[in-house]
Amino acid sequence: MNQKMGDNPIPRTKSTALIVFSRVASIIFHPLFMTIIVAVLLKAFLRPQFSRYSSKESERWMLQLFLYTVVLPFTAIFVFKITGLISNAKMHKPRDRVLPLFATLVFYIVAYELFVVRYRVAGLMQSLLLGSCCAISIVLVINFFCKVSVHTTAAAVLAGMCIVLAIAGITIPGPILPLAILGAVVVGAIRWFLGSHTTGQILLGYMIGIISQVAAYFIINT
């Protein structure tokens, strides 16, 4: 069975339950959710790193982070879809990814500048945001030549942050590493079962997500 990877993905399983689970999980682990999820986990499990911020301050910049990294990118995708600038909001075709990726990158850069300049957030949060900007930039460039899994790129962010914590000499909280590994494996598996990506595209996404976070840490601390 020949499959034109990415145009109309053909699931690699005939199990209806597995297909439904994979589609629901793809929404839950949508790339735009991952940065805010990792930010919440960092704040929850690494309280000493964020101790100088009041609860009110933390809530305010978390809400703004949600606005710039989730709400505005989704709004842009919606606008691109209803105006016909992209053919499908799922963006299986590489050409449909260009405008959403570019718009998302702009919003993430604005978020990074806001959090670094105005809020002066902890170095780990700066590293997370810069790493996300780097990952989006790399995916955008690669997209002109070949397809890469944006889902696994985003899913690897937490794994990348675990490596950053190890490099920084910060003890990785107990639940974080298992969550990072489990999340990355599950996302890669569901994208493969749905036929959305080849194994190579999935692994490339992992590499981009991890390398971007590690590179961002060294950029900030150089």
Side-chain angles (χ1 to χ4, degrees), residues 18-209:
L18 185 54
I19 291 173
V20 171
F21 170 78
S22 296
R23 287 175 177 166
V24 171
S26 289
I27 295 173
I28 294 173
F29 292 100
H30 191 283
L32 291 179
F33 293 146
M34 300 312 293
T35 297
I36 186 69
I37 288 175
V38 175
V40 170
L41 288 173
L42 289 178
K43 182 177 177 296
F45 289 102
L46 296 172
R47 292 186 182 278
Q49 303 293 324
F50 300 91
S51 58
R52 67 187 179 92
Y53 306 102
S54 67
S55 297
K56 188 173 182 180
E57 284 178 316
S58 296
E59 289 175 5
R60 182 172 67 249
W61 56 255
M62 276 295 184
L63 285 173
Q64 293 203 14
L65 182 63
F66 181 74
L67 172 66
Y68 284 102
T69 62
V70 179
V71 177
L72 291 179
F74 269 127
T75 302
I77 292 171
F78 176 73
V79 171
F80 294 149
K81 178 62 177 69
I82 63 175
T83 56
L85 292 174
I86 59 176
S87 62
N88 193 312
K90 293 182 178 180
M91 296 173 282
H92 292 304
K93 298 178 181 179
R95 66 173 176 270
D96 282 337
R97 294 176 162 205
V98 176
L99 284 176
L101 281 171
F102 181 77
T104 300
L105 177 59
V106 170
F107 293 132
Y108 271 65
I109 290 174
V110 171
Y112 175 75
E113 289 295 323
L114 175 67
F115 278 71
V116 172
V117 176
R118 181 175 177 181
Y119 295 132
R120 300 184 183 280
V121 294
L124 287 177
M125 194 65 71
Q126 293 181 28
S127 180
L128 170 64
L129 290 173
L130 181 59
S132 296
C133 290
C134 291
I136 297 169
S137 301
I138 294 171
V139 170
L140 178 58
V141 172
I142 291 178
N143 184 71
F144 288 104
F145 305 97
C146 64
K147 192 175 179 183
V148 60
S149 174
V150 182
H151 271 81
T152 55
T153 299
V157 167
L158 186 55
M161 285 305 300
C162 286
I163 295 175
V164 166
L165 292 175
I167 294 172
I170 300 173
T171 302
I172 301 173
I176 294 292
L177 186 56
L179 283 175
I181 296 173
L182 180 62
V185 171
V186 168
V187 171
I190 62 178
R191 300 309 288 170
W192 188 85
F193 280 123
L194 289 175
S196 299
H197 297 284
T198 64
T199 302
Q201 292 166 353
I202 289 170
L203 294 176
L204 180 58
Y206 287 142
M207 290 176 59
I208 294 171

